[in-house]
Amino acid sequence: MTNTCLITGGSGGLARALAALLRAEGWQLARAGRRPETLQPDEGDLLIEADVSTEAGALLAVAEASTRFGAPPTAVVNAAGALLLAPLTRTSEAQYRECLAANLDTAFFTAKAYVGALQQAQKAGGSGAGRLLLFSSVAAGIGVGNHAAIAMAKGAIEALVRSLAADHSAMGLRVNAIAPGLMETPLTARLLSNEAARKAITAQYPLGRHGEAADAARLAAFLLGPGGDWITGQVIALDGGFTAVRPLLRAGA
């Protein structure tokens, strides 16, 4: 049976890296995004215009993918998100609402739509099994300056992962999250815009470099594939050691 996957936030660097990897492994793909002009067509992917920060948009994305595949997707990956770096007192209400909508609301409504589709399929005699992958951040697990709103949103996603795994493991749904450190994607381009910034950022990571979209894509593909068949309710750090150890800094370095 061919594996199928719906990727929300489908125009982002992480989503495109994962899509390329899954496509090479023979998966059929649907990619959803708010702006169709940013969803560059790739080798027959279904492109869906939908804002999954709303319940209606998430339901539309899952329904269109299910129609194309003839059943709910084997896997759903919520790669939608936005980056907000600002201290609490400089975060406007509009910025706060936008941050939660892009990160937390997309995860919640995408999960709700997917679980509902799996439950309907199960009632019709099909399988309720599936794989749901969300994205957190290192900022949810360790205090990082100027990350108040996004740390809160990502922390809530980690709680959501554990709650959904508890509720739906019996039907065969595996729910996990990846918590990456800083990855180089179009979303983070301004943070890595000069050599001084790159040097300062990479110095924070014990393995001596920031992340790449390909790092997250490889881990995501593992979790969605047979290697992840006995993994659920987990938040897996992908951060070059950032949250586990401190790099050895020599005097004068």
Side-chain angles (χ1 to χ4, degrees):
M1 184 179 74
T2 301
N3 284 317
T4 60
C5 183
L6 167 65
I7 305 174
T8 65
S11 63
L14 190 159
R16 293 186 64 79
L18 176 58
L21 187 54
L22 294 181
R23 202 180 296 116
E25 295 179 355
W27 289 62
Q28 293 182 12
L29 303 177
R31 291 185 289 119
R34 291 182 300 169
R35 296 185 296 276
E37 67 275 9
T38 65
L39 290 169
Q40 302 170 15
D42 275 307
E43 301 181 32
D45 294 359
L46 173 65
L47 305 181
I48 304 168
E49 181 182 358
D51 180 359
V52 298
S53 69
T54 69
E55 184 166 15
L59 287 168
L60 173 65
V62 172
E64 290 202 10
S66 299
T67 298
R68 163 64 73 91
F69 301 142
T74 306
V76 169
V77 178
N78 182 51
L83 183 63
L84 174 61
L85 302 184
L88 183 70
T89 55
R90 294 185 183 177
T91 301
S92 69
E93 181 176 353
Q95 289 175 315
Y96 167 78
R97 300 292 180 193
E98 182 179 353
C99 180
L100 261 65
N103 293 287
L104 182 56
D105 292 357
T106 60
F108 183 88
F109 289 123
T110 297
K112 183 179 179 182
Y114 185 40
V115 169
L118 291 174
Q119 289 175 332
Q120 288 299 316
Q122 192 174 44
K123 288 177 182 178
S127 171
R131 308 158 203 174
L132 175 63
L133 181 63
L134 307 177
F135 279 89
S136 179
S137 165
V138 295
I142 186 172
V144 180
N146 297 328
H147 280 67
I150 195 166
M152 186 181 73
K154 296 299 192 181
I157 287 172
E158 295 189 4
L160 179 64
V161 164
R162 292 184 284 269
S163 180
L164 293 178
D167 284 340
H168 303 296
S169 291
M171 65 188 283
L173 176 63
R174 294 193 288 104
V175 187
N176 295 293
I178 295 172
L182 189 140
M183 296 186 300
E184 186 164 11
T185 68
L187 192 65
T188 61
R190 65 182 179 84
L191 301 178
L192 297 162
S193 59
N194 60 71
E195 193 57 36
R198 285 177 177 271
K199 186 175 181 179
I201 287 170
T202 57
Q204 300 177 53
Y205 292 91
L207 288 181
R209 68 173 178 88
H210 57 73
E212 304 285 351
D215 295 316
R218 286 189 291 268
L219 179 54
F222 171 80
L223 291 170
L224 299 178
D229 274 353
W230 211 43
I231 301 174
T232 196
Q234 302 301 307
V235 178
I236 300 175
L238 179 71
D239 62 8
F242 183 88
T243 56
V245 298
R246 295 293 87 197
L248 177 61
L249 300 178
R250 300 185 185 279

